[in-house]
Amino acid sequence: MLINIECPACQQDTIKIEPHMLAQGASFSCPTCLVKISVAQSSKNDIVKGVEAYDAYKNRLAELQEQGNAPELM
Amino acid sequence: MAAESQILSMGQQFSGLPMGALIGGPLEAAAKANQQMAMTQLQFMMITCFNENSTKKGSYDPIMIEMTLDRGVIEPGTEENGNKPSISTMTTSFKLPLLTIIPLNSLAVDDVKVDFEMEVKSSFASNNSTEHKSSTAEKASFSAGGNVGPFHVEVHGSVSHNSSSEAKSDTHYKQSNSAKYSVSVHAGQLPLPQGVKTIIDAYAKNVSPVTLPAAEPVKS
């Protein structure tokens, strides 16, 4: 899942970010001005926790979707 | 016809079924799943992306992520390097709310479909058979004789009658009816609420880079 963020440097384009890769230390570039953005070391734990919570949320939603697709008769 | 009254009408047959529970049950389960999903999304957003303000109860502050931005800067040449311009990397930092980085609306129950089909068959059969037989038989005989002068006369006679009648009737009646009842429920998941979108857009558009203090040149 890619997240689009407006480039803070040129504000002309968007930078596409993949949260899992960002949490692993990857950097992403603006296609127009070529600046690179990445997570500062001080916030690495926060984004790792966020991505883990997102994965748990995704699994929970999949369970709910399954329940919605096969509802039990009452 | 008497037999027709013995077969239940479709309305009567359906009225005996718990249609409310049969149709409402799946719909309620789907709605419950949708509600749970919305609550899960809200909990995820509030727990993961916000911190409760310790001084102001009931107020939540977004968790901010510090990002670094590296860009090349052309520096004019100095006398030391023969006035040759050089490219150096300048690092700036800016903060983004975690809310804007973690996807919120990527997963959703986008389609819930409940198909319910019911077939009711009802039939009635009647057999009626009657048989009637009758027979009669009669028989009679007589004889008479006498002398008339020199003659002798004798008369014999007999009468018989046989009658028989048979009647048979067979009635067969059968009726069946069927009906199909189909219910299809479709619920589409709404996209991310406009309010949440607005908040995320506001955060994303107000990213203001902060330039880090320039590193002091190393003196040798």
Side-chain angles (χ1 to χ4, degrees):
Chain A
M1 177 66 188
L2 294 172
I3 301 292
N4 293 322
I5 292 178
E6 190 178 340
C7 176
C10 68
Q11 296 177 349
Q12 299 293 314
D13 215 328
T14 55
I15 303 174
K16 291 178 171 37
I17 292 173
E18 208 292 306
H20 290 87
M21 290 174 72
L22 188 72
Q24 286 169 9
S27 59
F28 297 86
S29 301
C30 170
T32 302
C33 66
L34 303 176
V35 297
K36 283 182 182 175
I37 62 167
S38 57
V39 177
Q41 197 62 37
S42 58
S43 293
K44 214 155 193 176
N45 282 342
D46 286 336
I47 196 154
V48 167
K49 274 197 281 182
V51 168
E52 282 173 359
Y54 168 69
D55 288 337
Y57 163 69
K58 200 168 63 171
N59 291 336
R60 178 69 186 130
L61 283 189
E63 284 174 19
L64 290 172
Q65 190 170 16
E66 206 170 306
Q67 282 176 30
N69 287 339
E72 288 178 8
L73 292 180
M74 296 175 124
Chain B
M1 196 175 226
E4 282 176 339
S5 63
Q6 292 182 43
I7 192 164
L8 289 173
S9 69
M10 276 298 102
Q12 284 174 302
Q13 293 180 44
F14 276 92
S15 68
L17 291 166
M19 294 300 287
L22 287 171
I23 301 167
L27 187 60
E28 198 177 325
K32 201 174 170 185
N34 257 346
Q35 189 194 7
Q36 282 180 339
M37 193 218 64
M39 286 305 293
T40 307
Q41 188 182 36
L42 179 68
Q43 282 172 356
F44 165 72
M45 193 171 73
M46 295 307 290
I47 294 168
T48 312
C49 303
F50 288 88
N51 278 333
E52 192 170 8
N53 194 317
S54 55
T55 55
K56 200 176 176 183
K57 205 173 181 183
S59 176
Y60 290 85
D61 297 327
I63 296 174
M64 302 299 283
I65 300 291
E66 190 175 355
M67 307 283 287
T68 57
L69 187 148
D70 298 327
R71 63 174 131 186
V73 178
I74 302 170
E75 289 182 343
T78 58
E79 287 181 4
E80 289 173 1
N81 61 7
N83 289 327
K84 286 183 179 174
S86 61
I87 298 173
S88 65
T89 303
M90 192 177 78
T91 302
T92 56
S93 75
F94 63 97
K95 285 187 175 178
L96 270 180
L98 183 60
L99 186 68
T100 59
I101 295 175
I102 300 295
L104 275 176
N105 58 341
S106 59
L107 285 170
V109 178
D110 56 355
D111 183 46
V112 177
K113 201 172 180 180
V114 180
D115 287 323
F116 179 73
E117 195 171 289
M118 185 171 72
E119 187 172 356
V120 176
K121 278 190 176 176
S122 172
S123 65
F124 175 77
S126 168
N127 281 312
N128 183 22
S129 178
T130 57
E131 198 171 322
H132 179 255
K133 273 185 181 179
S134 71
S135 65
T136 56
E138 292 162 13
K139 197 174 181 182
S141 63
F142 66 94
S143 66
N147 293 320
V148 181
F151 302 101
H152 176 76
V153 178
E154 262 191 16
V155 178
H156 293 282
S158 76
V159 175
S160 71
H161 169 73
N162 197 359
S163 166
S164 170
S165 73
E166 189 176 327
K168 192 175 181 181
S169 96
D170 189 9
T171 307
H172 180 74
Y173 176 77
K174 189 175 182 182
Q175 184 182 348
S176 72
N177 52 11
S178 67
K180 279 187 181 179
Y181 191 87
S182 179
V183 178
S184 178
V185 181
H186 174 265
Q189 177 61 35
L190 293 173
L192 199 64
Q194 191 59 40
V196 179
K197 269 187 187 173
T198 308
I199 292 169
I200 293 173
D201 284 350
Y203 279 135
K205 282 178 183 170
N206 285 287
V207 175
S208 48
V210 178
T211 308
L212 292 174
E216 289 186 10
V218 181
K219 291 177 181 175
S220 56

